[in-house]
Amino acid sequence: MATSVTPSPTLARPELAGASHSTAQVIAHRSAPGRTGRAIYLTANIAILVFLLAPIAIVFVFALNPTPFIQFPPVGVSLRWFEKFFSARDFMHALVFSLEVAALTTVAATVLGASAALAIARGNIPGSRIIVATMLSPLMLPAILTGLALFQAYVLLDVGRPVWGLVAGHTLVTIPYVVRTTLAVLQNFDVRLEEAAQNLGASPARTFFEVTLPLVKPGVLAGAIFAFIVSFDQFPVSLFLVSPGNETLPITLFNYLKFDLDGTIGAASVISILLAVLVVIALDRTMGLRSTVKL
């Protein structure tokens, strides 16, 4: 019994085979630039990451290298500089004092900055854009000029260089971070949620603490993190406002560099980096920062 075989349309019509081949070439030609662009994009991102992380890697190498100078590749791994850092009374006092100032600054900047952002966003204040620009101005001015201006103001007021003056200076340069992050959240805030709570009988205070504050918490916490890190590592403002015996860690390291340069500087830098990371992790664990803050 004969079996009939239906010829393939492509084989029956050679021009279709040629068309399919040309179509495949066009697709391959179009996908080649896409692969090239993706490779360039990935290469550029890797280069940026290396550029950002290379200084941190160098600091870690310097802190763990047993030699008293920067050497690459390192000749070994040693904790001698960390031991020297934690055994030095000046460094420990400066570290504790910096943490205290940063904590006070974070509280003050968070309360004042969040309150100001809420007033600007809800108060219908005339010239609110000018007010926002004024509050963000410390970010535009060199911090060393801010420190010099505050120092001159304290001299004119004859108050010396008290601890509260240092905290006030740090608060001045950290408030813009809280204001900006809180305003970013308030711009997408649904006011109808507050209206619904008040229509259900909630008082203004209860509405604020149970509705408004939880919804703006991501922006406030992000600003608080920036405030702590900026205050802890603040050098230009602290340079003018610290007093003998009450020096922050950056100022103590600066004075140490005048006479010596060894791995203790790297160890102190590593401690600063780890503290900043621990602050973020602690807020994430206690307040669920990862699920609410989108940086």
Side-chain angles (χ1 to χ4, degrees):
M1 180 175 176
T3 303
S4 60
V5 178
T6 302
S8 173
T10 304
L11 296 176
R13 301 180 62 181
E15 64 275 9
L16 293 179
S20 300
H21 181 68
S22 62
T23 302
Q25 288 181 340
V26 171
I27 294 175
H29 179 71
R30 290 180 178 177
S31 60
R35 290 195 297 266
T36 303
R38 180 178 178 83
I40 295 174
Y41 175 77
L42 291 176
T43 302
N45 279 272
I46 293 174
I48 293 173
L49 287 176
V50 171
F51 177 77
L52 294 175
L53 298 178
I56 299 178
I58 293 174
V59 168
F60 274 85
V61 171
F62 188 31
L64 296 174
N65 196 10
T67 59
F69 51 85
I70 300 178
Q71 182 176 354
F72 191 86
V75 297
V77 177
S78 175
L79 298 178
R80 58 178 295 194
W81 306 119
F82 289 92
E83 296 176 358
K84 182 177 180 180
F85 174 79
F86 285 109
S87 62
R89 181 179 301 178
D90 293 339
F91 284 133
M92 287 297 95
H93 180 270
L95 177 62
V96 174
F97 183 67
S98 293
L99 291 173
E100 293 174 352
V101 172
L104 294 174
T105 300
T106 302
V107 173
T110 302
V111 173
L112 296 176
S115 302
L118 189 61
I120 293 171
R122 300 293 182 77
N124 295 324
I125 302 175
S128 58
R129 292 185 178 181
I130 299 177
I131 296 175
V132 172
T134 303
M135 298 192 70
L136 297 181
S137 60
L139 297 178
M140 308 173 192
L141 296 174
I144 194 168
L145 294 182
T146 303
L148 178 60
L150 289 173
F151 173 72
Q152 292 177 339
Y154 292 164
V155 170
L156 292 176
L157 295 174
D158 195 21
V159 296
R161 288 182 285 182
V163 176
W164 64 261
L166 178 62
V167 174
H170 283 203
T171 303
L172 179 64
V173 297
T174 54
I175 278 183
Y177 296 95
V178 183
V179 172
R180 195 68 192 92
T181 55
T182 307
L183 282 176
V185 176
L186 288 173
Q187 287 177 353
N188 299 323
F189 188 86
D190 191 355
V191 185
R192 292 175 296 180
L193 297 174
E194 293 178 333
E195 296 175 352
Q198 293 176 358
N199 291 335
L200 293 174
S203 62
R206 186 176 180 182
T207 301
F208 174 77
F209 285 105
E210 296 187 7
V211 178
T212 307
L213 189 58
L215 292 177
V216 301
K217 183 179 69 173
V220 175
L221 290 180
I225 291 174
F226 283 119
F228 181 88
I229 295 174
V230 172
S231 175
F232 185 81
D233 295 330
Q234 184 61 229
F235 175 78
V237 174
S238 302
L239 182 63
F240 290 95
L241 301 182
V242 296
S243 59
N246 284 326
E247 298 176 344
T248 60
L249 184 59
I251 302 301
T252 302
L253 293 177
F254 176 73
N255 294 330
Y256 184 82
L257 283 172
K258 294 179 180 178
F259 306 100
D260 200 357
L261 175 61
D262 54 27
T264 309
I265 304 299
S269 302
V270 170
I271 297 301
S272 299
I273 295 172
L274 294 179
L275 280 175
V277 174
L278 287 176
V279 169
V280 177
I281 294 176
L283 286 175
D284 178 34
R285 295 296 184 182
T286 57
M287 300 184 181
L289 185 64
R290 180 167 44 189
S291 60
T292 56
V293 179
K294 297 180 180 180
L295 297 177

